[in-house]
Amino acid sequence: AQLGAATIPVLLVLFAALALGIVLALRVRTVLDGIFLATASLMFTLGPLDLLYPKDLLRITVIPVLLLPAVLHSRSARAGPAAS
């Protein structure tokens, strides 16, 4: 029962983070941005049976979640001060 109660908040945070990553990766600055766009956009096509149990949710979404820090880092690395 406790795992089922955690599913909705985990879904909200996960899909909000993936949506933010998709928006930031749309400029495709690195190869990882393209890979993240492909895998993260597939996460929005999941049905309720795929997301029923938290263990399945985490297993299915592990690749885009692991790529998200690389996408966020590539954006911050490019936004830094320009070298002279």
Side-chain angles (χ1 to χ4, degrees), residues 6-24 36-54 56-65 68 72:
T7 303
I8 298 299
V10 168
L11 278 175
L12 291 175
V13 169
L14 178 69
F15 284 133
L18 290 177
L20 174 68
I22 287 172
V23 168
L24 295 177
F36 177 79
L37 282 172
T39 58
S41 59
L42 288 174
M43 295 303 108
F44 287 98
T45 64
L46 295 174
L49 292 178
D50 298 324
L51 306 173
L52 188 59
Y53 298 106
D56 294 332
L57 167 70
L58 295 175
R59 185 182 309 136
I60 291 170
T61 60
V62 71
I63 292 175
V65 168
L68 184 61
L72 297 175

